[in-house]
Amino acid sequence: MLFKNVGEYQDIQYRNVISRYYTVSPEEMPDTYNAFLDEVRKSGYTLRGPFFYTINSKLEENQDVLMELFIPVEEEYIEDA
């Protein structure tokens, strides 16, 4: 069995989610999380839900990581963001 900890009948649903891809070294990941959240705030959005992310590449030593960061926000749209 490939996946032993899959929750049956579970899903994730959020509205007004901002996301962005980054390619960084594993050491840069924590700073990237903070920079992403700061950029969203500086654009005028109000953080609403839990921050979450996906790792879209293998986690190997001395290799960059492709990840996508997500944060739900209050606003549907800000004109000049």
Side-chain angles (χ1 to χ4, degrees):
M1 176 182 255
L2 182 60
F3 298 104
K4 295 181 181 180
N5 296 322
V6 175
E8 294 184 29
Y9 308 106
Q10 294 183 13
D11 57 15
I12 297 174
Q13 296 181 4
Y14 295 103
R15 292 177 54 129
N16 306 331
V17 177
I18 295 175
S19 69
R20 177 164 292 163
Y21 283 98
Y22 292 90
T23 302
V24 297
S25 70
E27 295 80 19
E28 295 173 309
M29 289 172 65
D31 290 338
T32 303
Y33 305 150
N34 293 326
F36 170 70
L37 295 174
D38 287 345
E39 185 176 348
V40 171
R41 283 187 202 102
K42 287 178 185 174
S43 295
Y45 290 97
T46 307
L47 306 183
R48 178 181 179 143
F51 164 77
F52 58 101
Y53 63 95
T54 61
I55 301 294
N56 301 304
S57 59
K58 291 183 178 179
L59 293 175
E60 297 180 7
E61 194 171 330
N62 300 323
Q63 294 288 329
D64 284 348
V65 174
L66 173 62
M67 61 183 184
E68 187 173 9
L69 308 182
F70 304 86
I71 187 70
V73 296
E74 286 281 335
E75 299 79 11
E76 291 183 16
Y77 177 78
I78 292 182
E79 184 80 25
D80 296 324

